[in-house]
Amino acid sequence: GVFAFLADRAVSGVEMAGPASYARSIRLSGGPAVFEVSEVAPGELVLTAQLRELRDLPALLARVRRLFDLDADPVGIDQVLGAGALAASVRAVPGIRLPGAVDGGEIVIRAIAGQQVTVPSARAMLGRFAAAAGEPFDSGVDGISTLFPEPAALPAVLDDAYRGPAARRATLRTAAEALAAGALSVHAGADPAELTASLVKLPGIGPWTAGYTVMRVLGAPDVVLTGDVALRAGARRLGLGSDVAAALAPYAPWRSYASLHLWRAALAAARKDLP
């Protein structure tokens, strides 16, 4: 599930993903690096990395663990999720994981880019950002040639690379400038309430963008994105009605994970994968 989630959102030049593999460029303290995670057997992941400094390895391992939610308790989570209307989905996809992040600021930009547009549209937009403002990187891996843009580099390219409402362009600019100046700090050790408050203070960032960021960056297990259209579609598909808050209420404190089942149901229905 995490591989599929990342593949649907992979930014050209920065990431490559398939059904059982994911590779990307990344900035570490010792310089640019590239890593790949592959599932070589059911439940067995292998990490391959090219680093400039060996001292960066612990930091990279921590980020990859968060990205793939490897410290979750899937058995305990499924005991809660599988006790109600999600039982069939849990049986079909046991041990669902919450996709994390390797860079908090990047997720903020991704979340804003994804406001009220489809995943493919957001992915295309981010690809234009990477091509215009990303740092070229000789990764040695085919298909990975760029580092995701630094926040400070984004404002200069928005007028040419962004295609959409002017208000969202302004939000991207404001967020990028806040990240670059250090006025907005988004990292795995942040307090969820404080991070949410700092995000919604920025013009154009509402509960969905803040909640999505907290979910991905902090691995927050109990986020409810009430305004998410796909969640409403998934809830209806699974017979839970269209009120996302009510549909997810029985699954606290694991409503982020329950949301993944709803997203999966919405995506599968769109692709006609479910009967």
Side-chain angles (χ1 to χ4, degrees):
V2 175
F3 284 123
F5 185 97
L6 296 175
D8 284 342
R9 293 158 178 79
V11 176
S12 178
V14 176
E15 303 166 287
M16 291 183 63
S21 66
Y22 173 75
R24 70 160 292 159
S25 60
I26 185 173
R27 288 184 182 83
L28 298 170
S29 60
V34 62
F35 71 86
E36 179 175 10
V37 176
S38 302
E39 186 177 35
V40 297
E44 183 179 348
L45 302 180
V46 171
L47 168 66
T48 305
Q50 298 178 35
L51 311 174
R52 293 189 177 182
E53 299 283 349
L54 187 59
R55 61 187 170 89
D56 282 334
L57 184 58
L60 176 62
L61 288 172
R63 294 199 199 187
V64 172
R65 292 192 69 85
R66 289 196 297 272
L67 180 64
F68 283 86
D69 197 20
L70 298 184
D71 294 318
D73 176 13
V75 174
I77 293 168
D78 280 358
Q79 285 177 346
V80 175
L81 302 189
L86 292 180
S89 185
V90 171
R91 287 194 298 269
V93 190
I96 203 165
R97 304 272 178 162
L98 182 63
V102 297
D103 184 272
E106 177 182 317
I107 292 296
V108 173
I109 300 302
R110 285 178 177 260
I112 297 169
Q115 289 176 349
Q116 299 179 336
V117 299
T118 64
V119 169
S121 294
R123 178 181 180 180
M125 184 193 307
L126 292 162
R128 292 193 297 272
F129 292 170
E135 179 184 341
F137 171 46
D138 183 10
S139 70
V141 177
D142 289 342
I144 298 181
S145 58
T146 310
L147 289 158
F148 194 85
E150 293 266 36
L154 272 176
V157 306
L158 285 176
D159 288 340
D160 292 329
Y162 175 78
R163 300 166 193 168
R168 192 168 305 132
R169 181 192 295 112
T171 300
L172 284 164
R173 189 183 306 277
T174 299
E177 290 173 348
L179 288 164
L184 176 62
S185 179
V186 185
H187 56 86
D191 176 80
E194 292 178 0
L195 177 55
T196 298
S198 66
L199 286 166
V200 298
K201 285 180 182 178
L202 297 178
I205 293 184
W208 183 91
T209 303
Y212 181 83
T213 300
V214 168
M215 181 187 288
R216 294 285 308 275
V217 175
L218 306 186
D222 201 35
V223 174
V224 181
L225 304 176
T226 53
D228 192 281
V229 174
L231 285 181
R232 288 201 294 267
R236 289 193 298 267
R237 178 71 179 181
L238 294 174
L240 300 176
S242 58
D243 184 335
V244 171
L248 294 177
Y251 304 109
W254 306 114
R255 287 176 288 184
S256 297
Y257 292 88
S259 296
L260 293 173
H261 284 279
L262 270 58
W263 272 329
R264 174 185 174 273
L267 180 61
R271 293 176 175 174
K272 302 186 185 305
D273 289 338
L274 288 180

